[in-house]
């Protein structure tokens, strides 16, 4: 997983600070293109005894410059950074630059597929901006202790997106018989000719064709050829 390495000694030291020992503050960077929100969040976090906001930035470039030469434990990252920039682009560049700390998305909202993608890229959590400041402080402490924080309002979207991906994956898979029948369709063979070539019954050919129609959402052989090549050719490894 990306962006999830964190020294246990620093976590222990931060916890120890609340017991009266030496304070080792969690070093934070804020990346959000909304100046007012960023400034308010920075002031809020600076009131916490074990937080230190090292920088708050409005663009990926500013944040990458702040990463260079600074030890940072956690980046609070807005997904939509304006000017056609998004958090995923920053994450890729930060990784290339060698950043190995945690990334915590703080966002007004993302689409369901992006929630799944964010977790796949290794973010340690997703927090929605309209939640309370106190909850954000709690969430930061939890992710810095090694937990993953997912806003409950994101869960339904995550489940839906995962289910959709599963359906698409099944749709992108062909059985050996479906593949053989499709090759026969590409060759312009009739059902009878395909059956004879594969040494199966015409009913089996029709059944395989019906499955192909369902997977591609078409009703005719000509539509099947076009859609299979245009939309599924790469995934199915097909050549007419």
């Amino acid at each position: 997983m990306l962006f999830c390495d964190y020294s246990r000694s620093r976590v222990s030291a931060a916890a120890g600070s609340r017991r009266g020992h030496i304070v080792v503050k969690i070093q934070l960077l804020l990346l959000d293109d909304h100046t007012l929100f960023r400034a308010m969040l920075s002031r809020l976090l600076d009131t916490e005894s074990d937080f230190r906001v090292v920088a708050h930035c409005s663009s990926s470039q500013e944040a990458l410059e702040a990463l260079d030469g600074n030890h940072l434990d956690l980046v609070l990252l807005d997904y939509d950074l304006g000017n056609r920039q998004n958090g995923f682009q920053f994450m890729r560049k930060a990784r290339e630059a060698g950043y190995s700390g945690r990334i915590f998305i703080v966002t007004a909202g993302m689409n369901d597929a992006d929630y799944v993608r964010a977790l796949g890229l290794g973010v340690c959590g997703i927090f929605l901006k309209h939640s309370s400041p106190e909850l954000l402080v709690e969430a930061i402490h939890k992710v810095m202790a090694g937990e993953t924080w997912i806003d409950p309002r994101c869960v339904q979207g995550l489940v839906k997106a995962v289910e959709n991906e599963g359906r698409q994956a099944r749709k992108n898979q062909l059985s050996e018989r479906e593949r053989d029948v499709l090759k026969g369709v590409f060759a312009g063979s009739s059902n009878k000719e395909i059956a004879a070539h594969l040494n199966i019954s015409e009913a089996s050919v029709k059944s395989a064709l019906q499955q192909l129609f369902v997977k591609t959402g078409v009703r005719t052989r000509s539509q099947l050829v076009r859609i299979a090549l245009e939309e599924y050719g790469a995934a199915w490894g097909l050549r007419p």
Side-chain angles (χ1 to χ4, degrees), residues 3 64 67-68 90-100:
F3 307 127
L64 291 169
L67 289 177
D68 187 21
F90 167 77
M91 291 173 65
R92 175 178 58 79
K93 292 177 181 178
R95 184 190 184 193
E96 291 172 353
Y99 176 64
S100 59

Side-chain angles (χ1 to χ4, degrees), residues 56-128:
H56 54 89
C57 308
S58 62
S59 70
S60 293
Q61 186 57 43
E62 290 179 10
L64 291 169
E65 291 172 1
L67 289 177
D68 187 21
N70 285 305
H71 171 84
L72 290 162
D73 300 310
L74 181 69
V75 174
L76 300 179
L77 172 66
D78 187 13
Y79 170 71
D80 184 0
L81 298 173
N83 296 320
R84 299 183 179 180
Q85 298 182 66
N86 65 50
F88 295 148
Q89 294 165 338
F90 167 77
M91 291 173 65
R92 175 178 58 79
K93 292 177 181 178
R95 184 190 184 193
E96 291 172 353
Y99 176 64
S100 59
R102 284 177 165 81
I103 296 282
F104 190 25
I105 290 183
V106 179
T107 178
M110 301 158 60
N111 65 49
D112 295 342
D114 283 337
Y115 287 138
V116 176
R117 184 182 176 192
L119 293 174
L121 288 172
V123 302
C124 60
I126 300 171
F127 186 91
L128 297 183

Side-chain angles (χ1 to χ4, degrees), residues 10-23:
R10 291 185 61 83
V11 173
S12 298
S17 69
R18 291 188 288 273
R19 297 193 297 268
H21 299 302
I22 297 173
V23 174

